[in-house]
Amino acid sequence: MELKVIDMDHQGSGITKIDHKISFVPKTITGDVIDADIYKEYKNYNILKLNKIITPSSKRINPICPYYNTCGGCNISNLKYEDQLSFKKDKVKNIFKKYLDIDINPRVIPSIKEYNYRSKITYHNDSNLGLV
């Protein structure tokens, strides 16, 4: 079915609605128009399986990591860098508001290095990835 992604959750999955029921779609971002099917249905929400992106969001980029679709370690690397910073700022604001009922305005300091700044890696044993 054709759907429009209207928001993103804190883990970076897209949010859409099917018959007024919240539905989460991994690997999608706000503004994407997608073709997806219900993968798992729960009482209050659905998890969808993305079939294809019909019209990509203007915020979308191609992730540079070749393992993006299988790993999950860089879940918002399909967003432009400026939009990643905005996503992270909004995430912090929303968490403080939801759990502490505090309105904050965090300061965002962009990095000079958009990529290749991490110094740690954690390997996982997952036969789907071919790692041992």
Side-chain angles (χ1 to χ4, degrees):
M1 69 188 86
E2 186 173 315
L3 302 160
K4 181 161 186 169
V5 179
I6 56 173
D7 205 353
M8 292 173 68
D9 70 5
H10 292 297
Q11 285 76 39
S13 290
I15 298 174
T16 188
K17 290 189 177 180
I18 298 175
D19 297 326
H20 306 291
K21 189 175 182 182
I22 296 280
S23 300
F24 299 98
V25 195
K27 310 291 185 210
T28 63
I29 61 175
T30 306
D32 282 343
V33 176
I34 61 167
D35 176 53
D37 295 314
I38 296 175
Y39 174 69
K40 287 187 179 179
E41 192 167 359
Y42 297 95
K43 181 179 177 184
N44 297 320
Y45 67 95
N46 298 315
I47 306 287
L48 304 184
K49 176 183 174 268
L50 177 65
N51 296 322
K52 71 177 181 176
I53 296 172
I54 298 168
T55 306
S57 169
S58 61
K59 299 176 180 184
R60 177 174 284 282
I61 60 169
N62 288 324
I64 65 166
C65 179
Y67 305 106
Y68 171 77
N69 287 317
T70 55
C71 172
C74 48
N75 58 343
I76 60 169
S77 65
N78 56 353
L79 273 174
K80 291 179 181 175
Y81 184 62
E82 302 80 31
D83 295 312
Q84 288 181 23
L85 297 178
S86 178
F87 171 81
K88 291 175 183 180
K89 179 179 180 178
D90 290 344
K91 178 178 176 175
V92 169
K93 285 172 66 171
N94 292 338
I95 289 171
F96 269 79
K97 183 64 177 171
K98 181 176 181 176
Y99 294 106
L100 300 173
D101 197 25
I102 298 172
D103 289 315
I104 63 167
N105 189 17
R107 183 173 171 213
V108 176
I109 303 171
S111 173
I112 10 180
K113 293 180 85 174
E114 187 175 336
Y115 301 104
N116 304 319
Y117 58 87
R118 296 183 182 199
S119 60
K120 180 181 175 188
I121 186 167
T122 304
Y123 291 102
H124 298 276
N125 183 2
D126 188 339
S127 60
N128 294 328
L129 293 175
L131 300 176
V132 180

